[in-house]
Amino acid sequence: MKDYIHELSEQRMVKRAPNRPIDFGADRGYIFSCLKDVEHSFGLQEFPGLAPQQIPARVLIRQLIVWWRTLEPANASQQTAYARLPGTIRLIDTISAWWAERAGNAHGD
């Protein structure tokens, strides 16, 4: 794994994500399969004992960003899983923004 400095945009994505598990709706399969594929292909187990739907969105997006910035694919399986990370990160960020807007509207904002 390589070292990296967290970019401001990444820090904002992490902060925007709810610090609790959320319902990713129709996108849950894609998001959780990306997590599973990265863990499997790189031999990682970041969330032992937790079902994917139990992982807080903030923790999940933070980990996916760290993997995107630090993992170095060494074979085709790893490259395929790694290539899905940016889209999955952006998808979680988009869903997090939707949740934030929804919460704001519930309070009259």
Side-chain angles (χ1 to χ4, degrees):
M1 284 194 185
K2 33 184 177 175
D3 292 331
Y4 92 103
I5 297 172
H6 300 268
E7 294 181 7
L8 181 58
S9 63
E10 294 167 348
Q11 292 173 12
R12 287 180 176 155
M13 283 190 271
V14 170
K15 187 175 180 179
R16 185 170 25 250
N19 199 19
R20 60 181 171 72
I22 61 173
D23 180 4
F24 291 114
D27 297 311
R28 90 176 51 80
Y30 183 83
I31 292 168
F32 296 147
S33 70
C34 178
L35 170 66
K36 178 183 162 195
D37 290 349
V38 171
E39 286 185 324
H40 178 74
S41 66
F42 284 91
L44 304 169
Q45 189 179 17
E46 193 61 36
F47 305 103
L50 279 180
Q53 53 272 36
Q54 295 175 309
I55 303 168
R58 184 172 296 169
V59 173
L60 180 58
I61 196 170
R62 181 183 301 126
Q63 186 58 58
L64 296 177
I65 290 169
V66 167
W67 284 342
W68 170 245
R69 296 298 187 190
T70 61
L71 290 176
E72 297 182 41
N75 59 46
S77 173
Q78 289 178 350
Q79 183 59 41
T80 299
Y82 180 81
R84 292 178 61 199
L85 284 169
T88 303
I89 291 164
R90 179 51 75 197
L91 186 55
I92 294 170
D93 185 50
T94 300
I95 294 167
S96 295
W98 179 84
W99 275 96
E101 287 176 17
R102 184 174 174 222
N105 289 338
H107 294 45
D109 291 346

